[in-house]
Amino acid sequence: MSQKWFATSVEETLKQHDTAVEKGLSSETVARRLEEFGYNELQAQDSTPAWKLFAHQFQNPLIFILAVGAIVSFMTGHTVDAVAITAIIFINACIAFWQEYKAQKGMEALKEMAAPTAEVLRGGEWLNVPARELVPGDVIRISTGDILPADVRILEANRLAIDEAALTGESEPVDKITDIIADESVGLGDQKNMGFMTTIVTTGNGLGVVTGTGMKTEVGHIADMMANTEETKTPMQVRMDTIAKMLLVAGLSVVGVVCAIGLYHGMPWLDILTTGISLSVAAIPEGLPTVVTIVLTMGSTKMVKSNALAKQLAAIETLGSTTVICSDKTGTLTQNQMQVMKAYDAEGRYWEVTGKGFDPKGEFVPENHDVAATDSAAMMQGLVVATLCNDAEYVQDGGKFSVRGNPTEGALIVAAAKAGLKQAEMLSTGGYSIVEKFPFDSARKMASVIVKSPEGKHFLALKGAPDVVLRHSAGFMVDGAPVYHSSTAIEGNLALEANPTSEYVANFEAAIENFGKDALRTLAVGMRELSEADLKKDPEELEKDVVILGVYGIMDPPRPEVRDAVEQCYNAGVRTVMITGDHAVTAAAIARDIGIIRSEKDRVVTGTELDAMSDEDLQNICPEVAVFARVTPEHKLRIVKAQQVNNEVAAMTGDGVNDAPALRRADIGVAMGITGTSVAKDSGDLILLDDNFSTIVKAVRQGRQIFDNLRKFIRQELTANVGEISVILFAFLLMGPEAILPLTPLMILWVNLVSDGLPALALGVEPEEKDLMERAPRKRNEGFFSAGLGERIITRGLALGALSYVAFSWALDNGYSANYAQTMAFMTLIFAQLWHLFDCRTFTTLFRKNPFTNKYLLGAVAASATLSLGVVYTGFGQLVFSTEALEMSHLMLIAIGSSLPTFVLSGVKELTKVKFI
């Protein structure tokens, strides 16, 4: 909003909009403003046609090379090769298309949240009109249950409270006022005289004048940020792009070298083309995209069992790269259920109240005394008052407990239930009845009810802000009877030296201060006996001279498992940062409690401070900040961007509309599945089905394991490719112009997809390494081939290729046919790869790994060996692949001798600890 309407008076707001609270706008003015401002709706972006998405999948270097190979194969008569390669291309494109087709639909979800109709004053008459036809200056009626159809300046507020959690992150409904707010720097959550589009009216009613419609609303601003927020590629996608480009360059280089050698030796063009096809097929791991997708899918299935649903498969691996988790507070780190944590009675005693959320299981545990809560007359009477002066309703559905109404009031009912007082029973069979209610309003800062007791007497039950209740008090309940103040008025700092209750006043003030230090929201309760004459008095007269019973400290407590989860993140080198719309004091207290703030060096920064910072300043302080409080959607987006500029891999959690832009921008957006809005879920990459921060930690562990297993798989896959390329290169380099291909293109396809791809796939379910959550996170720019993995792939691949060429050359030298020699090279390469699989299972050596811990790998090796033998020893296999049955002695020699590269090189690595072997 360009105009800060919260800092503008009601009169001035109406004047600037040229409207009146008595008549509203005329139809002519509405028509003119509709033309000027447009309809009150959010603008969705045009979606990409499905055919364009499908065509986009072929813009991949791997696919391009394979396509050229398929075309050349077809033109040179290698029809089987061409069909096989084309099928692989099509399968990979379909899988990638389906993932991209499930694109974000956040804008559609935002539009669905908008109110369909509105009650508006037009020409002095109240009309129900479609919400899309509202214009700035319209006066609308606001009632309980309404979804606000536009941004409004509040004109009248009768106990009006609006739930703005989805927009601001506030865990409590906001009580609305009409007064001007002078401080123009206040954040969205403190603009109490404003109402915002898509938020929900929880109680009361009022009037508002429309100040913003469509894309000019706060939610429209968020929609605009979503539309203009670039979704970053995940580290996984970046690494796969790097591999694709590397393979493209390597493949073309090898083909170029071999073609140059062929031309130098004067080989026929057809032979050169055939060789080029073989090399292009050998250079590209055809099954890589498919197998990566399958491995990620298996990881996704496992994560669902841990209550984490991945919308984008690449996001699963990203979790393993995460270096900082930017977490929302309410509902993620906390239970999103207000709870009485501490209680204080008028006699100066404290109790800790145990339990979880709205579950009535719990007890009052004495602190520094041995008096049970049930033995304190002040405490028990206070709980009676807290239960009866209450508009919330306690609901039990089977084993689930919830509260209808204000969560803070609900917390009081639950606390009373822990002491044996049940609201429903007290009002139905307990003899209590409510005679009249005086609801809370922002001017009085209190609420009260007239109650008829089981004895037939009347009393006033009152609750409110402790300082206000104290100003209206006559004394304190001590030993079951009131002890009254002297006639001295309670003013100023409430220090009453000459008062017989001064000790109780001081203790009461100390309790408020102690609860405040713990970031507890405080409510005091009191009562006053009433005569028949009192029943006719106004609440202003009745709410005086009450007897104070106690104070309750209330908060949305941390989830019990969060502390351990934050500690696990810390040990794994993953920093947790709280980003919340709540107040700084409350956020900091929670952060200290759960271990996000670990020392005095950890800073707490507010949204107001962020507004005064440049992007560079924000980037500089990010490593020091543990809590960002009172932030707006724009702040969240800036914070995520700053983390990424600092080379962090940032995960962002959220549940509201206000979180959507940051969820889209983050390396991985984590949306809440239970409390999350549809906008947040559509904007996120991962959905927590239990809204629990500890689930993120499980997902990080799973992401790291998936990345480990992908590296193991890629090592095996590319080692095979190096072996295939090198055996052909050895033939060209050593055999000269009379070179015979050791492997046919179809043999190479078999090796890549079956004899290598199938067992390598079993590496995707390899058990995690012992030090998985003790390592530092990977850097954003760290590739698959770090820590010597690239060198190991080349070293092992050359060894496998050399051994296969030796077998091929030996067969030719001993008078066997070319087909027999190719079969020797084919089977040698297959068995060498199967032995090499056992070393790929670990980043150390196979001597440190139990070979029997992955039953899937053992089964895959057996299946691969059996299928490959079928290619050699069946008539159909011999016909398709041009193989010949090997002598059993040769087969046994191959099966045993092909283990030499793995065992010898692994032994050297074990002894020398050299990474590149």
Side-chain angles (χ1 to χ4, degrees):
M1 294 184 301
S2 56
Q3 171 76 37
K4 296 182 177 179
W5 296 111
F6 61 87
T8 308
S9 69
V10 167
E11 295 75 18
E12 183 62 24
T13 302
L14 291 169
K15 181 180 178 181
Q16 289 194 38
H17 282 94
D18 194 19
T19 189
V21 74
E22 299 84 9
K23 290 188 177 182
L25 298 176
S26 65
S27 56
E28 294 81 5
T29 303
V30 169
R32 190 169 60 252
R33 291 187 183 181
L34 262 179
E35 189 170 338
E36 179 183 355
F37 297 102
Y39 283 109
N40 177 35
E41 56 189 9
L42 302 179
Q43 299 167 6
Q45 288 180 298
D46 294 332
S47 57
T48 305
W51 68 268
K52 281 190 177 181
L53 284 179
F54 188 72
H56 177 72
Q57 309 314 316
F58 295 92
Q59 299 175 18
N60 183 311
L62 295 179
I63 299 294
F64 177 75
I65 296 175
L66 287 175
V68 172
I71 292 171
V72 175
S73 296
F74 182 78
M75 292 177 65
T76 55
H78 296 81
T79 308
V80 175
D81 296 344
V83 171
I85 296 173
T86 302
I88 293 166
I89 291 172
F90 186 76
I91 291 170
N92 286 335
C94 286
I95 291 173
F97 163 75
W98 179 246
Q99 290 303 317
E100 196 166 339
Y101 185 70
K102 296 187 295 183
Q104 312 300 336
K105 298 191 181 295
M107 193 66 71
E108 286 80 356
L110 273 175
K111 293 181 72 174
E112 289 172 6
M113 291 178 67
T117 61
E119 193 173 3
V120 60
L121 185 63
R122 297 265 175 89
E125 294 184 22
W126 287 102
L127 306 172
N128 276 314
V129 302
R132 69 190 296 267
E133 295 179 6
L134 288 179
V135 296
D138 266 328
V139 175
I140 65 170
R141 186 173 282 162
I142 305 168
S143 303
T144 301
D146 285 353
I147 299 175
L148 286 189
D151 283 5
V152 299
R153 171 67 162 87
I154 304 298
L155 303 177
E156 293 181 10
N158 304 310
R159 296 180 56 223
L160 183 62
I162 300 179
D163 182 358
E164 298 175 348
L167 192 63
T168 66
E170 281 275 10
S171 56
E172 287 276 292
V174 179
D175 295 312
K176 292 301 177 179
I177 60 175
T178 60
D179 299 339
I180 189 173
I181 298 174
D183 184 1
E184 294 190 6
S185 65
V186 298
L188 210 60
D190 293 316
Q191 295 175 19
K192 296 186 177 182
N193 55 12
M194 296 293 297
F196 304 106
M197 187 179 188
T198 73
T199 58
I200 302 171
V201 181
T202 55
T203 59
N205 56 72
L207 298 178
V209 58
V210 174
T211 57
T213 58
M215 297 300 286
K216 297 299 183 182
T217 61
E218 288 295 340
V219 75
H221 178 56
I222 292 174
D224 185 59
M225 281 196 293
M226 288 173 62
N228 292 288
T229 297
E230 181 184 356
E231 292 187 74
T232 57
K233 283 189 174 183
T234 68
M236 172 74 170
Q237 291 168 325
V238 172
R239 292 180 182 115
M240 292 305 295
D241 286 347
T242 301
I243 289 178
K245 292 173 183 176
M246 180 202 71
L247 291 174
L248 174 61
V249 172
L252 292 177
S253 299
V254 172
V255 170
V257 168
V258 171
C259 288
I261 294 173
L263 290 172
Y264 175 77
H265 288 303
M267 291 177 62
W269 270 103
L270 184 61
D271 290 345
I272 294 175
L273 278 176
T274 302
T275 304
I277 293 169
S278 299
L279 285 171
S280 65
V281 173
I284 304 300
E286 293 85 3
L288 179 59
T290 303
V291 174
V292 167
T293 301
I294 293 172
V295 170
L296 291 174
T297 301
M298 289 191 297
S300 173
T301 303
K302 187 174 180 181
M303 286 175 67
V304 169
K305 296 177 182 178
S306 299
N307 292 315
L309 174 64
K311 288 174 54 189
Q312 295 184 0
L313 294 182
I316 299 172
E317 183 277 331
T318 306
L319 281 165
S321 306
T322 300
T323 60
V324 59
I325 299 175
C326 301
S327 178
D328 188 26
K329 177 182 72 69
T330 304
T332 308
L333 298 173
T334 63
Q335 300 173 24
N336 199 24
Q337 294 182 337
M338 299 300 286
Q339 181 178 332
V340 174
M341 306 299 294
K342 289 190 176 183
Y344 168 88
D345 72 0
E347 297 183 48
R349 293 180 291 236
Y350 291 85
W351 287 266
E352 179 186 353
V353 185
T354 64
K356 182 177 180 181
F358 296 140
D359 193 324
K361 294 178 182 177
E363 57 183 337
F364 285 66
V365 180
E367 292 186 353
N368 301 322
H369 63 88
D370 55 3
V371 178
T374 51
D375 293 333
S376 167
M379 178 54 61
M380 293 306 293
Q381 188 61 39
L383 291 172
V384 169
V385 167
T387 304
L388 297 177
C389 183
N390 203 308
D391 288 327
E393 182 183 353
Y394 191 52
V395 180
Q396 180 176 351
D397 183 10
K400 295 183 178 179
F401 305 92
S402 61
V403 167
R404 285 198 197 103
N406 187 287
T408 298
E409 291 195 323
L412 295 174
I413 297 176
V414 176
K418 292 174 182 177
L421 299 175
K422 297 183 179 179
Q423 182 191 46
E425 292 179 3
M426 292 171 66
L427 293 172
S428 59
T429 60
Y432 290 97
S433 60
I434 307 298
V435 177
E436 190 170 1
K437 291 185 177 182
F438 305 111
F440 176 90
D441 66 51
S442 56
R444 288 161 46 238
K445 293 187 178 179
M446 290 189 299
S448 62
V449 295
I450 297 176
V451 180
K452 186 176 182 180
S453 70
E455 296 79 21
K457 297 181 178 180
H458 292 87
F459 67 91
L460 184 77
L462 176 145
K463 73 172 186 291
D467 58 330
V468 176
V469 173
L470 186 56
R471 283 199 298 272
H472 287 71
S473 70
F476 295 85
M477 177 75 74
V478 179
D479 293 330
V483 173
Y484 293 101
H485 300 306
S486 68
S487 59
T488 306
I490 302 176
E491 298 291 350
N493 61 6
L494 308 178
L496 306 177
E497 295 297 336
N499 197 304
T501 59
S502 60
E503 180 183 350
Y504 299 117
V505 172
N507 289 340
F508 185 88
E509 290 181 318
I512 298 171
E513 184 178 352
N514 290 336
F515 286 176
K517 289 178 180 177
D518 292 333
L520 298 176
R521 181 174 299 176
T522 53
L523 274 178
V525 291
M527 63 176 292
R528 173 187 171 185
E529 293 184 0
L530 301 176
S531 65
E532 289 293 329
D534 290 331
L535 300 181
K536 300 178 182 179
K537 293 180 179 179
D538 294 331
E540 288 78 8
E541 294 182 76
L542 291 176
E543 293 172 346
K544 292 180 180 179
D545 300 328
V546 297
V547 175
I548 293 176
L549 302 168
V551 180
Y552 302 101
I554 305 168
M555 75 181 304
D556 177 15
R559 291 176 178 268
E561 63 279 1
V562 162
R563 295 177 184 86
D564 182 56
V566 171
E567 186 67 23
Q568 287 183 50
C569 284
Y570 179 78
N571 292 334
V574 181
R575 200 159 54 92
T576 304
V577 177
M578 181 189 292
I579 304 180
T580 178
D582 214 338
H583 294 279
V585 174
T586 304
I590 296 288
R592 287 190 188 92
D593 188 21
I594 63 181
I596 290 179
I597 294 180
R598 307 179 73 90
S599 70
E600 295 301 320
K601 295 180 181 179
D602 293 326
R603 295 179 57 179
V604 178
V605 174
T606 66
T608 303
E609 292 173 294
L610 278 176
D611 286 332
M613 291 183 189
S614 66
D615 288 342
E616 186 177 355
D617 292 336
L618 176 57
Q619 292 157 23
N620 291 334
I621 68 161
C622 267
E624 306 167 6
V625 181
V627 176
F628 290 96
R630 221 62 183 151
V631 295
T632 66
E634 201 159 9
H635 291 149
K636 293 185 179 186
L637 187 58
R638 284 186 65 199
I639 292 166
V640 169
K641 288 181 178 179
Q643 301 283 10
Q644 292 172 330
V645 171
N646 287 345
N647 213 28
E648 304 275 13
V649 178
M652 173 74 194
T653 76
D655 57 1
V657 175
N658 60 323
D659 299 311
L663 288 172
R664 286 175 67 88
R665 173 69 193 197
D667 294 291
I668 176 163
V670 183
M672 303 298 109
I674 298 175
T675 59
T677 62
S678 57
V679 183
K681 293 175 188 177
D682 285 339
S683 299
D685 306 301
L686 186 80
I687 298 175
L688 298 187
L689 302 180
D690 58 358
D691 288 11
N692 197 329
F693 182 83
S694 63
T695 301
I696 301 176
V697 181
K698 296 176 186 175
V700 168
R701 176 185 291 273
Q702 185 68 25
R704 288 191 174 192
Q705 182 181 354
I706 286 173
F707 181 77
D708 274 5
N709 290 347
L710 283 175
R711 288 188 79 209
K712 295 170 183 177
F713 162 74
I714 287 175
R715 175 191 169 188
Q716 170 69 13
E717 188 82 358
L718 295 186
T719 298
N721 286 97
V722 173
E724 293 159 10
I725 291 172
S726 61
V727 69
I728 295 174
L729 278 177
F730 286 140
F732 260 70
L733 291 172
L734 300 177
M735 296 178 69
E738 304 300 324
I740 302 173
L741 288 178
L743 298 171
T744 67
L746 207 54
M747 285 180 176
I748 294 171
L749 279 176
W750 178 270
V751 172
N752 284 348
L753 297 177
V754 181
S755 69
D756 176 50
L758 180 63
L761 182 59
L763 291 172
V765 292
E766 185 67 29
E768 68 180 49
E769 302 280 333
K770 292 181 180 179
D771 64 342
L772 186 70
M773 290 299 283
E774 297 172 7
R775 309 176 200 154
R778 298 184 302 280
K779 295 180 180 179
R780 175 182 288 274
N781 55 359
E782 182 179 320
F784 276 105
F785 305 111
S786 59
L789 182 61
E791 293 87 343
R792 292 180 75 181
I793 288 172
I794 294 173
T795 303
R796 299 299 179 97
L798 289 173
L800 267 58
L803 185 66
S804 298
Y805 176 74
V806 168
F808 173 74
S809 179
W810 178 86
L812 289 178
D813 291 345
N814 284 274
Y816 290 95
S817 69
N819 285 355
Y820 192 94
Q822 287 175 330
T823 305
M824 287 281 288
F826 178 55
M827 293 305 291
T828 300
L829 188 59
I830 287 173
F831 277 98
Q833 288 175 337
L834 294 180
W835 283 110
H836 180 248
L837 268 167
F838 291 94
D839 193 55
C840 289
R841 296 179 60 212
T842 176
F843 297 116
T844 54
T845 69
L846 81 170
F847 300 110
R848 293 176 178 266
K849 193 86 169 179
N850 185 338
F852 304 107
T853 54
N854 188 341
K855 60 183 180 180
Y856 298 103
L857 183 70
L858 296 174
V861 167
S864 177
T866 302
L867 290 171
S868 298
L869 289 172
V871 169
V872 174
Y873 290 101
T874 65
F876 179 76
Q878 292 170 3
L879 175 65
V880 174
F881 289 88
S882 301
T883 56
E884 291 186 12
L886 298 179
E887 298 175 12
M888 290 307 298
S889 59
H890 292 167
L891 180 63
M892 294 304 296
L893 181 63
I894 287 172
I896 297 171
S898 59
S899 67
L900 286 176
T902 295
F903 280 98
V904 171
L905 292 176
S906 296
V908 172
K909 178 177 175 60
E910 180 70 27
L911 294 172
T912 63
K913 309 301 180 187
V914 177
K915 289 185 178 182
F916 61 82
I917 294 179

